Amino acid sequence: MSTGADKAAMLRPAQPRSSEHSSPCEACSIRELSLCGALEEHEIGDIAAITTGVELDHGDPLFDEGEPARHVFSVTSGAVKVYKLLADGRRQMTGFLFPGDFLGLADEETYAYSAEAVTRSKLCRFPRRQLQVLLERYPRMERRLLTMASHELAAAQEQMLLLGRKTAREKIASFLLMLSRRAELRGLEANPVEVPMSRNDIGDYLGLTTETVSRTFTQLKHGGHIRLLPGGRVELIDRHGLRGISEGG
Amino acid sequence: MSTGADKAAMLRPAQPRSSEHSSPCEACSIRELSLCGALEEHEIGDIAAITTGVELDHGDPLFDEGEPARHVFSVTSGAVKVYKLLADGRRQMTGFLFPGDFLGLADEETYAYSAEAVTRSKLCRFPRRQLQVLLERYPRMERRLLTMASHELAAAQEQMLLLGRKTAREKIASFLLMLSRRAELRGLEANPVEVPMSRNDIGDYLGLTTETVSRTFTQLKHGGHIRLLPGGRVELIDRHGLRGISEGG
DNA sequence: CGCTACGTTGAGAACAATCAACCCCGGTGG
DNA sequence: CCACCGGGGTTGATTGTTCTCAACGTAGCG
């Protein structure tokens, strides 16, 4: 179990930091994607008041499963992975989170999963209790949260279909298309798509081993469907073909 | 693809039907478990006014993936299965629903999965638009919905761990314990536990084939962990041992 | 009294896991 | 400057769990 939690520096408390904006939230580029997008300009101060910035390096843990769930988070840059472990160390990634994504929503008093940075990342941290107050004040925000939870639920069901019924080949094709679609949503490059996580992380997300992930990548490469570029980027040569593969064609 | 949608009889519109209660909702025995539990006695009429009863026989479809999502439902008796299909017919059950469970929550305009009765079942049906109005009037109800969605999300993550990383043996043990726990929550018999779904349904839920499900049941039986009783009931002889197996022990 | 759906069991095949070797690259220290 | 080291990635050989194909049993029902 890696430790390094203390490296998770708390930065940028919600204070004015430029002459143009009274809070970092006003300058937040992904606000519309995130929970905070539910608020109007003049209400943003309320959320800024309870927000703390968090910065993580590659591999830094954010929280561990079972820990008291005192905060919830919103990713503002980078990539974060969330996962569950079995007693013997087997790991299942339950998601990769990108800017705008929300984590820590727990019905219980403890986190149901662990979270760790994939790349250098920034997040906004909200104390649960105080966010709860805001949710009661702004029903629009609560509604947004419900919408986000519904999306997550739909994605989880899609992932169950993948884990339970797709072959390694179908899984990898689905994974690449998913990454590409999500990059597009965020206005990032969708075609040579960034794949910042390791083969091992991908395997734990798709229910495969690193070896199988690696072999399947090369297989798709030789089939002319993708090209592996330096810097962990993947070019989707044959999007249409990949879509067919991902759906079992 | 089985048809029988027209057999899905609409029954018991929300009208008085006894001298004791002004609506069926007031007599609803699982109300506290369900979404409606968020309302006070005197508010129940509002939900009763938009509720239609639905009764399904074993195998009757409730709705299909892709259909316009005009209603949401709450199970009041029986058991319902929800699933997604791949083009070639491979199926992944994404959940089994019991009294108090809610379905149809969709962020999109169409259902993201299909639903079908496992046993003779009764549900309450709410038009989405009209329920939306109620949610806006009763924030407590919306909050309850968010709580239910959070629970579902946690369950979905647990299921991903199962699908991606557990062996057949661990899957079956987990499944039996889950059924038992849920029966207990509803005040039903937890130990010889009711297993109303077919081996094939179980397989599609756990990412296995019927043959493997069957073999694994007999294996657990011979190991002295369970006993297969008539009427689709299973006795958990060695709960503690099963728990160990389910966690990879 | 068959028919059908479901469940069980067996034999063999297959896909992915495991075990193992090797490469490449970046960092570190001699 | 270069040798060493460690982590991640790729590839190969082999194993094994689960799937597939097939036969048969059983229970409910028209």
Side-chain angles (χ1 to χ4, degrees):
Chain A
M1 230 85 316
S2 73
T3 57
D6 14 34
K7 279 181 63 187
M10 299 308 153
L11 299 176
R12 292 198 298 140
Q15 315 254 326
R17 46 161 204 168
S18 86
S19 54
E20 290 183 39
H21 301 290
S22 64
S23 77
C25 300
E26 290 182 45
C28 180
S29 61
I30 50 84
R31 197 167 86 211
E32 283 314 311
L33 281 176
S34 80
L35 179 64
C36 310
L39 294 184
E40 304 288 344
E41 286 295 327
H42 63 92
E43 299 163 341
I44 286 291
D46 284 356
I47 187 102
I50 64 166
T51 303
T52 313
V54 178
E55 190 159 345
L56 300 176
D57 258 351
H58 167 79
D60 285 350
L62 182 61
F63 54 75
D64 280 326
E65 181 173 348
E67 217 172 88
R70 280 192 267 272
H71 301 94
V72 296
F73 303 84
S74 182
V75 181
T76 57
S77 80
V80 172
K81 60 192 183 194
V82 301
Y83 56 90
K84 290 173 77 77
L85 294 172
L86 285 170
D88 61 4
R90 276 174 288 171
R91 185 176 66 158
Q92 178 64 44
M93 237 40 116
T94 54
F96 289 111
L97 306 184
F98 299 103
D101 289 335
F102 187 81
L103 71 157
L105 194 67
D107 46 325
E108 304 297 328
E109 286 311 300
T110 59
Y111 294 115
Y113 48 80
S114 305
E116 183 180 317
V118 172
T119 63
R120 175 177 289 274
S121 302
K122 291 180 184 158
L123 301 89
C124 288
R125 191 185 78 168
F126 316 103
R128 277 167 68 80
R129 297 194 161 280
Q130 295 178 51
L131 186 65
Q132 186 61 40
V133 174
L134 280 196
L135 291 180
E136 281 164 26
R137 183 175 322 159
Y138 299 117
R140 230 177 314 121
M141 203 167 183
E142 185 142 48
R143 209 155 301 135
R144 164 79 72 125
L145 203 50
L146 185 55
T147 303
M148 292 173 81
S150 297
H151 274 100
E152 257 194 85
L153 216 36
Q157 287 158 357
E158 194 62 48
Q159 189 69 1
M160 287 188 228
L161 176 62
L162 178 149
L163 289 170
R165 290 305 184 204
K166 290 190 181 177
T167 65
R169 191 179 160 81
E170 292 162 0
K171 285 176 177 181
I172 296 287
S174 304
F175 177 69
L176 290 172
L177 289 168
M178 184 268 291
L179 281 186
S180 179
R181 185 167 14 90
R182 292 179 74 176
E184 200 168 17
L185 261 176
R186 288 171 174 73
L188 304 175
E189 202 172 22
N191 197 326
V193 62
E194 290 273 352
V195 182
M197 59 290 286
S198 70
R199 296 288 185 263
N200 192 35
D201 284 352
I202 297 172
D204 283 349
Y205 182 62
L206 301 176
L208 300 170
T209 58
T210 63
E211 294 95 326
T212 299
V213 171
S214 185
R215 274 186 248 276
T216 308
F217 267 106
T218 42
Q219 186 195 329
L220 288 175
K221 184 177 67 181
H222 291 150
H225 297 102
I226 62 173
R227 206 181 325 245
L228 299 176
L229 307 177
R233 298 185 332 146
V234 177
E235 183 184 344
L236 312 182
I237 301 172
D238 176 18
R239 248 194 142 73
H240 187 261
L242 280 174
R243 182 143 335 258
I245 292 170
S246 75
E247 291 163 2
Chain B
M1 229 85 316
S2 73
T3 56
D6 13 32
K7 279 181 62 187
M10 299 308 153
L11 300 176
R12 293 200 295 142
Q15 316 251 329
R17 45 159 205 170
S18 86
S19 53
E20 292 182 37
H21 302 290
S22 65
S23 78
C25 300
E26 289 182 45
C28 179
S29 62
I30 50 83
R31 197 167 87 211
E32 282 315 309
L33 281 176
S34 80
L35 179 64
C36 309
L39 294 183
E40 304 287 343
E41 286 296 327
H42 64 90
E43 298 163 342
I44 287 292
D46 285 358
I47 187 101
I50 65 166
T51 303
T52 312
V54 178
E55 189 160 345
L56 300 175
D57 259 352
H58 167 80
D60 285 350
L62 183 61
F63 53 75
D64 279 326
E65 182 174 348
E67 218 172 87
R70 280 192 267 272
H71 300 94
V72 296
F73 302 84
S74 183
V75 181
T76 57
S77 80
V80 172
K81 60 192 184 193
V82 301
Y83 57 89
K84 290 174 76 77
L85 293 172
L86 287 169
D88 61 5
R90 278 175 286 172
R91 185 176 67 157
Q92 178 64 43
M93 232 47 112
T94 55
F96 289 111
L97 305 184
F98 299 102
D101 290 335
F102 188 81
L103 72 157
L105 194 68
D107 46 326
E108 305 297 328
E109 287 311 300
T110 59
Y111 293 115
Y113 48 81
S114 305
E116 183 178 317
V118 172
T119 62
R120 173 177 290 272
S121 302
K122 291 180 185 160
L123 300 89
C124 288
R125 191 183 78 167
F126 316 104
R128 277 168 70 79
R129 297 194 161 280
Q130 295 179 50
L131 186 66
Q132 186 61 41
V133 174
L134 279 197
L135 291 179
E136 281 163 28
R137 182 176 323 161
Y138 299 118
R140 231 176 314 123
M141 205 167 181
E142 186 141 47
R143 209 155 303 135
R144 163 79 72 126
L145 203 51
L146 185 55
T147 303
M148 291 174 82
S150 298
H151 274 100
E152 256 194 85
L153 216 36
Q157 288 159 355
E158 192 63 48
Q159 189 68 0
M160 287 189 227
L161 176 61
L162 178 149
L163 289 170
R165 289 307 184 202
K166 290 189 181 178
T167 65
R169 190 180 160 80
E170 292 161 0
K171 286 175 177 181
I172 295 287
S174 303
F175 176 68
L176 290 173
L177 289 168
M178 184 269 288
L179 281 187
S180 179
R181 185 166 14 87
R182 292 178 75 176
E184 199 169 16
L185 260 176
R186 288 172 172 73
L188 304 174
E189 202 171 24
N191 197 328
V193 62
E194 291 271 352
V195 182
M197 59 288 288
S198 70
R199 296 288 184 262
N200 191 33
D201 284 352
I202 297 172
D204 283 350
Y205 183 61
L206 301 176
L208 300 171
T209 58
T210 63
E211 294 93 327
T212 299
V213 172
S214 184
R215 276 187 246 277
T216 308
F217 267 107
T218 37
Q219 187 194 329
L220 288 175
K221 183 177 68 179
H222 291 150
H225 297 101
I226 63 174
R227 206 182 324 247
L228 299 177
L229 307 177
R233 299 183 335 145
V234 177
E235 184 184 342
L236 313 182
I237 299 171
D238 176 18
R239 247 194 143 76
H240 186 262
L242 281 173
R243 180 142 337 256
I245 292 169
S246 77
E247 290 162 3

